[in-house]
Amino acid sequence: MAKQIQAIRGMNDCLPEQTPAWQQAETVLRDLMRAYGYAEVRMPIMEVTGLFKRAIGEVTDVVEKEMYTFDDRNGDSMTLRPEGTAGCVRAGIEHGLLYNQERRMWYMGPMFRYERPQKGRYRQFHQFGVEVFGLQGPDIDAELIMLTARLWKQLGVSEHLVLQLNSLGQPEERAEYRQALVAYLEQHKDQLDEDSQRRLYTNPLRVLDSKNPQVQALLQDAPVLGDYFGEQTRAHFEGLKALLTSAGIDFEINPRLVRGLDYYNLTVFEWVTESLGAQGTVCGGGRYDGLVEQLGGQATPAVGFAMGMERLVLLLDTLNQIETQPALADVYLAMMGDNSQVAGFALAEQLRDQLPGLRVMSHCGGGNFKKQLKRADKSGAGIALILGEDEIARGEVTVKYLRGQGEQQTLAVNDMIEQLKKGI
Ligand code: ATP
Ligand code: MG
């Protein structure tokens, strides 16, 4: 036997048994977006590498070590998208969607990061993302959080998710804070681990993000970003908190929440669960008012978030919130005799025409009565329709109930259709 070829590590197949759970989540998300007036946008999966370097920042984990980057046949550097915001902003600028306009958009699709695969962390994963342009107040930040809260409720997982909130201030405020933070950390440099020492000069705010308990202990007495905020930044944050409180949405202020990408300012948030182990952040986002200009557009306020679909589906699965797998068919059409196939297919099409919601599976591959009924049972259908040469000659069909709903009967085709319409 030839050697089997396997999927790339960290890149998963979504098998037929798993797709119903994904479709359930995707359907709820699409309906949610409709309910809030958001439009779908679809971007390419690959962009020029420079886009991500400029958008995400050269000294972030994503750009430093997680990107799938390679030269194409022309020698140009390409990257499989590690997230959707950069491409969405690029598309918005390129097609003139952003300047002087309000846009509420969403997307869903695969993202790629070269990380160590583990539960909730993969090399190809999927994000549902929302990006809003042209609105600068805390009201739209609140709307994004409210719509995620509604999503948790609809999916039955509200009790297992906590909202963490922080403000990163404006770039000038952060620059001032950065100096103070670096000065403090320099005094305690020997207590920093290797990672934090490296970040100290490249991206000191990411030290706040460190998972090392010793570093976290040191941060207890570090300067606090909030002390460097001006009046407008405070007002934005207070405005958001007030709106969330009025909407009945609980939150925790987490001053250590800085998020992994460079482009955020003011509001940042994450929805975190304890039900998934270490990979507990299901959804994260924030404001990125500087990014459009940084990527060559006119300055445009913007806010968004991204949700990890694998983590969402894992959470639904863990909390038993996935609807049991539905049968593949309502009706299974068995055909007996050499000449029944043509009439059988015609009948199946007729059923699909007249009963658009009905799922009809036609038997293929021949075989005797027993074999065909076995297939009918396996399909999960409630009813087998049996079409033999006698039935065809009389314009009839035999109806066999597979789940004990009644006695087998032979009916005129039209009567059978009427019965199906009534929902037998
Ligand atoms: P983490 O801290 O878990 O690495 P992140 O801050 O890198 O997350 P973001 O860039 O904010 O993640 O992406 C938004 C969401 O996408 C995350 O909250 C998570 O649900 C999901 N996500 C990110 N990376 C992965 C991955 N490698 N596999 C699966 N889901 C992921
Ligand atoms: Mg990450």
Side-chain angles (χ1 to χ4, degrees):
M1 266 213 299
K3 191 171 184 294
Q4 279 183 19
I5 297 178
Q6 307 223 308
I8 298 169
R9 197 164 117 82
M11 302 205 177
N12 301 316
D13 300 303
C14 190
L15 300 177
E17 293 71 39
Q18 298 159 329
T19 46
W22 281 75
Q23 288 174 351
Q24 185 188 332
E26 288 162 6
T27 302
V28 172
L29 282 165
R30 285 205 179 87
D31 291 348
L32 183 79
M33 288 295 93
R34 264 179 61 81
Y36 280 80
Y38 286 58
E40 185 182 0
V41 57
R42 301 184 183 190
M43 294 85 63
I45 280 169
M46 210 158 73
E47 302 269 359
V48 297
T49 303
L51 173 68
F52 300 114
K53 288 194 173 167
R54 237 159 97 182
I56 299 171
E58 297 258 10
V59 290
T60 55
D61 282 353
V62 171
V63 171
E64 273 184 342
K65 45 189 189 199
E66 295 175 1
M67 293 206 303
Y68 274 91
T69 297
F70 58 94
D71 288 350
D72 72 1
R73 289 178 186 277
N74 198 30
D76 297 319
S77 183
M78 304 283 150
T79 295
L80 293 179
R81 61 183 189 190
E83 51 102 61
T85 305
C88 186
V89 170
R90 196 261 317 131
I93 297 170
E94 191 170 329
H95 301 286
L97 305 184
L98 308 184
Y99 181 54
N100 260 342
Q101 298 171 64
E102 284 173 21
R103 292 275 178 182
R104 290 166 155 97
M105 301 193 279
W106 66 273
Y107 52 82
M108 189 148 49
M111 306 291 162
F112 303 84
R113 296 186 192 179
Y114 195 81
E115 302 195 73
R116 193 170 70 78
Q118 54 199 290
K119 183 182 172 197
R121 192 178 294 288
Y122 312 100
R123 289 183 173 173
Q124 174 174 319
F125 63 101
H126 298 75
Q127 281 185 344
F128 165 81
V130 167
E131 317 288 352
V132 177
F133 300 94
L135 295 167
Q136 60 182 12
D139 47 359
I140 186 66
D141 302 5
E143 175 172 295
L144 292 191
I145 291 172
M146 281 163 70
L147 73 85
T148 45
R150 175 176 292 274
L151 174 70
W152 312 140
K153 211 183 277 170
Q154 285 178 348
L155 293 172
V157 296
S158 297
E159 265 114 76
H160 303 268
L161 284 156
V162 170
L163 173 63
Q164 300 205 338
L165 203 60
N166 192 19
S167 175
L168 295 179
Q170 297 292 13
E172 318 79 66
E173 295 159 350
R174 229 153 58 204
E176 227 184 296
Y177 169 68
R178 184 187 154 118
Q179 282 188 350
L181 180 66
V182 170
Y184 172 82
L185 292 175
E186 272 177 335
Q187 288 169 17
H188 307 275
K189 207 169 162 183
D190 49 326
Q191 292 171 53
L192 293 178
D193 56 27
E194 204 182 310
D195 230 21
S196 299
Q197 288 202 8
R198 198 168 45 83
R199 283 176 175 164
L200 177 54
Y201 299 107
T202 56
N203 201 346
L205 260 69
R206 291 301 311 278
V207 177
L208 302 181
D209 216 13
S210 168
K211 304 222 157 57
N212 183 331
Q214 199 186 339
V215 175
Q216 281 301 334
L218 182 65
L219 289 169
Q220 294 291 325
D221 299 319
V224 177
L225 175 59
D227 293 342
Y228 293 77
F229 289 166
E231 203 177 310
Q232 281 189 343
T233 294
R234 286 175 205 275
H236 190 102
F237 201 27
E238 290 311 315
L240 172 61
K241 288 191 268 185
L243 284 166
L244 293 178
T245 305
S246 318
I249 296 175
D250 294 332
F251 53 84
E252 281 175 8
I253 303 294
N254 177 0
R256 306 249 188 280
L257 181 65
V258 294
R259 312 267 308 122
L261 319 177
D262 263 4
Y263 47 61
Y264 290 107
N265 68 306
L266 294 175
T267 310
V268 287
F269 67 92
E270 285 187 352
W271 286 97
V272 184
T273 180
E274 292 192 340
S275 309
L276 292 182
Q279 272 59 249
T281 305
V282 177
C283 169
R287 191 158 267 287
Y288 51 94
D289 296 326
L291 186 61
V292 178
E293 197 176 16
Q294 195 180 311
L295 292 180
Q298 302 275 345
T300 305
V303 58
F305 69 79
M307 184 178 302
M309 293 295 292
E310 280 78 4
R311 292 186 195 177
L312 179 63
V313 171
L314 264 173
L315 185 65
L316 294 178
D317 199 14
T318 307
L319 302 174
N320 292 321
Q321 293 295 341
I322 292 175
E323 289 158 18
T324 48
Q325 199 193 337
L328 286 169
D330 302 309
V331 168
Y332 193 93
L333 183 61
M335 290 160 264
M336 302 297 152
D338 291 340
N339 302 314
S340 59
Q341 196 82 48
V342 170
F345 273 1
L347 176 61
E349 292 302 320
Q350 189 186 351
L351 289 173
R352 295 183 185 111
D353 282 342
Q354 297 191 11
L355 296 146
L358 192 75
R359 298 171 302 167
V360 182
M361 191 182 274
S362 301
H363 182 83
C364 285
N368 61 23
F369 187 67
K370 203 172 148 203
K371 175 181 168 187
Q372 295 203 27
L373 275 194
K374 235 182 184 165
R375 293 279 171 77
D377 189 50
K378 206 169 171 205
S379 76
I383 293 169
L385 297 179
I386 301 152
L387 204 56
E389 279 162 19
D390 290 352
E391 279 97 344
I392 294 169
R394 291 197 294 266
E396 290 177 348
V397 62
T398 296
V399 181
K400 184 172 171 61
Y401 299 97
L402 300 173
R403 318 282 159 202
Q405 308 99 308
E407 289 294 311
Q408 177 171 320
Q409 48 179 327
T410 300
L411 298 170
V413 167
N414 284 337
D415 293 343
M416 178 273 293
I417 290 177
E418 284 315 307
Q419 290 242 30
L420 282 180
K421 280 184 181 162
K422 280 188 237 145
I424 46 172

